[in-house]
């Protein structure tokens, strides 16, 4: 039994040994994707093959011909039964193709005998409208480049790239594998969608999971805590061959969980509540001074807004914990370290549900910092900083709600939760 993939590529030197530095590095694109076989009768299935080669090197090369060897015939390892059905094109000026059905080749060559390809140049070879034969299988498309270093008298070498191209049944299809949201919060859900037909097996693979999603077009994975790559694998049995197509999509998790073997921190370590920072559209964010600087525990860094906000409203920054948290203190450090970009006025409010709001720091005039503390826990989900300065942008060095659960600096450690010590804690 043979497994037929979509396609795979192999590169080699003239003598067949593997090479990590071929003269040109080629990638293949096909239309349709994947390639499908022609029906037993009626109009044939056609396909376009676009081979894009790039030269990423410190030197140019001299090239005298590029040859595509196309397996021709009616059998499973053949790609087409009619090589002349393809319209051959190349991006290099004054190069022309020659099709030779006897040798099953299409050869491109320059009028001058050879031509230079620069160190940052590329070449595109196109075989358009090729008629595909009617037998499912894998065909080996071979690309040969005769070359030598530019300006040298070296013997001509041949760089070889081969593509194993899968030929799929006409009714087989697997497309549009995508997540509804490509970026989600930690603990959120990923809703995946796709279209599939003519398959006998369809499985969703991620992490260690292997889920049978046959006859489904959507599937939701709940409680994602780290960025995850999802693979959708479709197969169908055709005679003694298994046809396989795999698509992938990635869902990024904001502030993901991290699993490591060993951890070395150079600087400080802060373990805080999971939270999401939301900057209002009216003030925006200067990319050079991002909002995440407000939560890094460092008073030398700062967030800078794009503007001072709406002239009559100002703007807001929110810390959303996602659920209720017990908070006893809120600390706000405003302006840059040198005291500029202070808001003209600001206040701090909190909400347990995002609907009703209660003040904790009343609206006050410019000051570099403000603090609120409570002897008892106050349950908060969202803490909101309102700022206004219609004349310039606004800087915030730190916006902290509640103490970090763990903060370790160069000389001391602070714990915001009860700590059980089995080997003792030393002070001083």
């Amino acid at each position: 039994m043979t497994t037929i993939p979509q396609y795979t590529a192999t590169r080699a030197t003239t003598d067949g040994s593997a090479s990590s530095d071929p003269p040109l590095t080629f990638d293949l694109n096909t239309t349709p994707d994947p390639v499908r076989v022609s029906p037993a009768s009626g109009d044939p299935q056609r396909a376009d093959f676009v081979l894009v080669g790039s030269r990423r090197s410190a030197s140019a090369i001299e090239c005298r011909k590029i040859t595509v060897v196309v397996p021709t015939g009616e059998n499973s390892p053949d790609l087409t039964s009619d090589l002349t059905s393809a319209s051959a094109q190349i991006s290099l000026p004054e190069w022309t193709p020659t099709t030779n059905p006897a040798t099953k080749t299409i050869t491109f060559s320059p009028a001058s005998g050879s031509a230079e390809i620069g160190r940052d140049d590329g070449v595109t070879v196109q075989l358009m409208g090729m008629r595909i034969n009617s037998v499912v299988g894998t065909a080996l498309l071979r690309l040969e480049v005769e070359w030598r270093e530019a300006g040298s008298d070296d013997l001509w070498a041949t760089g070889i790239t081969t593509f194993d191209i899968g030929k799929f049944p006409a009714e087989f299809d697997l497309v549009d594998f995508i997540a509804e949201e490509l970026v989600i919060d930690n603990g959120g859900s990923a809703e995946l969608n796709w279209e599939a037909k003519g398959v006998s097996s369809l499985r969703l693979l991620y992490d260690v999971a292997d889920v049978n999603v046959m006859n489904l077009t959507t599937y939701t994975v709940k409680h994602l805590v780290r960025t995850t790559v999802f693979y959708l694998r479709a197969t169908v049995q055709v005679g003694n061959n298994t046809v396989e197509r795999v698509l992938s999509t990635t869902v990024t998790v904001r502030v993901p969980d991290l699993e490591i073997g060993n951890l070395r921190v150079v600087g400080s370590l802060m373990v805080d509540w999971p939270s999401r920072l939301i900057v209002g559209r009216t003030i925006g964010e200067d990319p050079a001074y991002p909002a995440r600087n407000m939560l890094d525990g460092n008073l030398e860094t700062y967030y800078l807004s794009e503007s001072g906000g709406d002239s009559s409203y100002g703007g807001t920054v929110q810390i959303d914990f996602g659920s209720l948290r017990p908070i006893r203190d809120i600390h706000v450090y405003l302006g840059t370290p040198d005291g500029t970009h202070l808001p003209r006025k600001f206040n701090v409010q909190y909400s347990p549900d995002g609907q009703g709001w209660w003040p904790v720091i009343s609206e006050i005039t410019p000051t570099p910092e403000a603090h609120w503390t409570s002897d008892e826990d106050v349950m908060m989900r969202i803490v909101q900083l309102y700022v206004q300065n219609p004349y310039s942008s606004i800087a915030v060095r730190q916006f902290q709600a509640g103490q970090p659960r763990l903060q370790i600096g160069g000389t001391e450690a602070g714990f915001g939760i009860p700590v059980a010590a089995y080997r003792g804690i030393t002070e001083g």
Side-chain angles (χ1 to χ4, degrees), residues 55-94:
R55 172 69 177 167
R56 299 186 181 95
S57 176
S59 61
I61 63 169
E62 189 179 355
C63 184
R64 68 176 181 179
K65 68 179 177 179
I66 296 175
T67 301
V68 185
V69 183
V70 183
T72 306
E74 302 288 349
N75 300 314
S76 176
D78 298 321
L79 186 59
T80 181
S81 58
D82 181 11
L83 183 59
T84 60
S85 65
S87 172
Q89 304 169 35
I90 194 168
S91 62
L92 298 174
E94 299 184 6

Side-chain angles (χ1 to χ4, degrees), residues 3-16:
T3 298
I4 300 171
Q6 182 177 350
Y7 66 79
T8 57
T10 304
R11 297 177 178 87
T13 58
T14 307
D15 60 6

Side-chain angles (χ1 to χ4, degrees), residues 93-270:
E94 299 184 6
W95 283 54
T96 55
T98 301
T99 301
N100 188 335
T103 59
K104 304 178 182 181
T105 59
I106 300 175
T107 300
F108 301 87
S109 56
S112 60
S114 66
E116 184 174 302
I117 298 177
R119 62 181 187 178
D120 296 317
D121 293 338
V123 57
T124 299
V125 174
Q126 300 180 6
L127 308 180
M128 311 299 287
M130 181 178 293
R131 190 169 68 189
I132 308 303
N133 70 13
S134 58
V135 185
V136 169
T138 301
L140 186 67
L141 187 72
R142 179 183 172 108
L143 188 69
E144 301 177 351
V145 179
E146 289 197 20
W147 70 287
R148 65 186 178 189
E149 294 291 340
S152 74
D153 294 326
D154 296 342
L155 296 176
W156 294 97
T158 303
I160 300 171
T161 304
T162 56
F163 292 92
D164 291 304
I165 300 174
K167 298 180 296 172
F168 287 70
E171 65 277 5
F172 181 96
D173 205 3
L174 182 67
V175 294
D176 298 335
F177 181 45
I178 192 67
E180 283 288 333
E181 295 183 73
L182 296 177
V183 182
I184 62 174
D185 291 331
N186 190 306
S189 298
E191 182 181 339
L192 305 166
N193 301 286
W194 61 85
E195 293 183 17
K197 65 178 182 179
V199 305
S200 57
S201 172
L202 188 62
R203 309 197 73 86
L204 178 67
L205 311 173
Y206 62 97
D207 291 338
V208 296
D210 183 346
V211 183
N212 182 5
V213 292
M214 188 66 182
N215 299 320
L216 299 178
T217 58
T218 184
Y219 188 85
T220 299
V221 179
K222 299 180 179 180
H223 195 64
L224 281 182
V225 296
R226 63 181 63 88
T227 296
T228 303
V229 181
F230 295 92
Y231 299 92
L232 190 63
R233 179 176 180 264
T235 60
V236 62
Q237 191 73 23
V238 181
N240 292 325
N241 293 325
T242 298
V243 178
E244 173 183 287
R245 178 165 165 81
V246 179
L247 302 181
S248 67
T249 189
T250 301
V251 175
T252 300
V253 172
R254 299 185 185 94
V255 195
D257 288 3
L258 180 65
E259 293 182 7
I260 59 176
N262 298 285
L263 175 65
R264 182 187 178 202
V265 178
V266 179
S268 61
L269 172 67
M270 183 168 63

